[in-house]
Amino acid sequence: MPTAAERIIEFLAAQGIDRAFCVPGESYIALLDALHAHNRVDLVTCRSEGGAGFMAVADAKLTGRPGVALVSRGPGACNASIAVHTAEQDATPFILLIGQVEKRDLRRNAFQEIDYANMFRGVAKWVGELTDPDQAPEFIARAYAMAMGGVPGPVVLSLPEDVLAMECRAPLLPATLPSPLPPSPADAARLAGLLRGAERPILLAGHGFESDSGRAALRGFAEAWQLPVAVSFRRQDLFDNRHPLYAGDLGLRNPDAQREAFASADLVLALGTRLTDITTQGWSWPAPGQRLVHVCADPRFLGWLFPAELAIAADAQATIAALAGETPAAPPARAAWNARLRQLHVADCQVVPTQHADGIAFAEVAKLIERVAPPDAIVTLDAGTFGAPFYRKVAWTPPQRLLCPVSGAMGFGVPAAVAAALRCPDRPVFGLVGDGGALMTGGELAVAVARGAPLKLILSDNGAYASIRIHQEKAHPGRVAGTMLINPDFAQWCAAFRVPVTRVESKAEFPALEAALRAPGPGAIVVRTSLEAVLPRRLAAE
């Protein structure tokens, strides 16, 4: 008779889950044993639970299936919680399996015990706790369905170590996912009518298009209806940034001229997205009086702060399919509107070369990577000021992928690059990280080396938590506290992982940087990055 642990692994393998990430712990030894016997699931041993969780989230972004991480109770679960938050903010399917204290010790404040229902309430879509081995098939099936259904997100399963090792008499259950919900015919017809009549529409595209088929559907829909497309926060790879209909993103610090143009739209179609504070520019857009159509698979996210003229609880791609029978049309003034939005975006993409005594403006490194990156490149970004140029200055074209944390979590970049290099070994992977994030989860580079993953690590070293320093200087000029760093020699640090290292101190060494990016196999590039280049101009002048 199989154990509860074996039932869980059998179910995941049956759904095509072929990889899981872990930091081992005695509280889920039975799961590790089940994986040992099940050669269809590759177990990747990581160096931190946060890194394992980030790898699982990145893997899910590439496969469309739930990423799976296994961690031990207490400290392990706390370390992995950052990935749960990231998966929720990023709308990414993720299953966190936590070894728990034995059943008899539940809710008795046992060694390393945490009540995970209380801990993850409000961030996970569902938290389950196995108290009977026969619940295993039901609970893992429910976890899978919850992670994938509606707006995807994280689920957590608490698995007492003794229950995992018990025999499970209940059979496996099939995975049951509902078909994507389309809009009603009446709503589809009404939406088509609004699109035909709008002179200045804008299509705001979000997580609902996070697949190859979704990207293709979005492009076809925009072209058929001649709709300008803006992407929600940090989803630049949803739409060809070089396309004449690409109008940019809704992110941090949009240029005033672009914000003003978006505010003058006569129809906002928010399709497959949640209207978060950043995407709505601090809850200010769509502005009062602007017509809004909001389409989201989960009705919980409809009708919050922005009353919609038409609110549709439906799948984004199913909504596009439902309009296939409608005749696209656009008023004559639409062409000038589209051109205006495109011109504003193109103007914002420009990078003017500059010279700084303290290092290189990282925007110029970003433009070099844009030129070098092959059409199938995968780029992962950590959170930080160094990454800002990749959202506005660099043009992304599918099938290129840009994996970055919508949650703004530092420590994502290196684990995500490792996961991408493992998932797509034939595609070039560039992982970008700042000096702050590098020392959070940069040790996961050891996993890449152990696995022979040929990723390129590009490390920006400016000796500061720069994004916080910028805010600090704006709010409290000249009063620097807690934002400066004393770093190790990062070139030597990278060399300790036994990868070739290139040090870039000035723009004169850009040819060496380009050669390192193009070289086959793994490598690390350490760039002395200018802090002066990103500080407020008053400070830079001083």
Side-chain angles (χ1 to χ4, degrees), residues 190 291-294 302-303 306-312:
R190 187 177 173 194
R291 304 178 85 176
L292 170 65
V293 176
H294 191 186
L302 297 172
F306 302 96
E309 183 170 334
L310 182 58
I312 304 175

Side-chain angles (χ1 to χ4, degrees), residues 244-308:
L245 290 173
Y246 183 67
D249 71 316
L250 271 298
L252 297 169
R253 295 182 293 277
N254 279 55
D256 290 342
Q258 192 178 53
R259 288 168 59 107
E260 291 169 5
F262 288 168
S264 69
D266 60 5
L267 177 67
V268 177
L269 171 56
L271 190 52
T273 185
R274 298 168 290 185
L275 294 176
T276 64
D277 58 327
I278 294 178
T279 294
T280 63
Q281 303 292 283
W283 311 115
S284 67
W285 182 83
Q290 281 188 292
R291 304 178 85 176
L292 170 65
V293 176
H294 191 186
V295 180
C296 185
D298 191 332
R300 292 183 302 139
F301 298 109
L302 297 172
W304 280 10
L305 190 61
F306 302 96

Side-chain angles (χ1 to χ4, degrees), residues 340-394:
R340 176 188 172 197
L341 293 185
R342 179 63 185 171
Q343 183 179 23
L344 288 170
H345 168 69
V346 170
D348 189 40
C349 293
Q350 305 307 310
V351 172
V352 178
T354 55
Q355 294 290 338
H356 301 278
D358 64 338
I360 301 166
F362 207 75
E364 296 182 53
V365 176
K367 294 300 284 185
L368 189 151
I369 292 174
E370 174 189 40
R371 179 166 57 83
V372 170
D376 62 344
I378 300 172
V379 174
T380 72
L381 291 181
D382 211 271
T385 300
F386 77 92
F390 291 90
Y391 304 122
R392 296 269 169 74
K393 308 302 183 183
V394 173

Side-chain angles (χ1 to χ4, degrees), residues 201-227:
I202 188 164
L203 193 168
L204 172 61
H207 64 263
F209 297 102
E210 283 282 4
S211 65
D212 291 342
S213 63
R215 289 171 174 80
L218 174 62
R219 177 168 180 153
F221 180 65
E223 290 176 341
W225 289 83
Q226 283 299 290
L227 297 172

Side-chain angles (χ1 to χ4, degrees), residues 33 38 65 68 71 75 77 109 181 234 251 329 332 369 372 399 418 434 437 470 523:
D33 185 67
H38 210 295
R65 301 186 296 269
V68 177
V71 300
N109 196 31
L181 187 66
R234 294 185 174 172
I369 292 174
V372 170
V418 176
I470 293 167

Side-chain angles (χ1 to χ4, degrees), residues 383-456:
T385 300
F386 77 92
F390 291 90
Y391 304 122
R392 296 269 169 74
K393 308 302 183 183
V394 173
W396 302 100
T397 303
Q400 287 180 333
R401 292 299 307 272
L402 177 64
L403 305 184
C404 47
V406 172
S407 67
M410 291 181 69
F412 180 85
V414 175
V418 176
L422 294 177
R423 176 58 60 188
C424 305
D426 297 328
R427 297 177 66 173
V429 175
F430 303 105
L432 289 107
V433 65
D435 45 2
L439 293 185
M440 291 185 180
T441 56
E444 300 298 355
L445 186 58
V447 179
V449 173
R451 290 289 188 119
L455 68 88
K456 295 289 193 301

Side-chain angles (χ1 to χ4, degrees), residues 238 399 472 491 495 513:
L238 290 183
Q472 187 176 63
L513 168 58

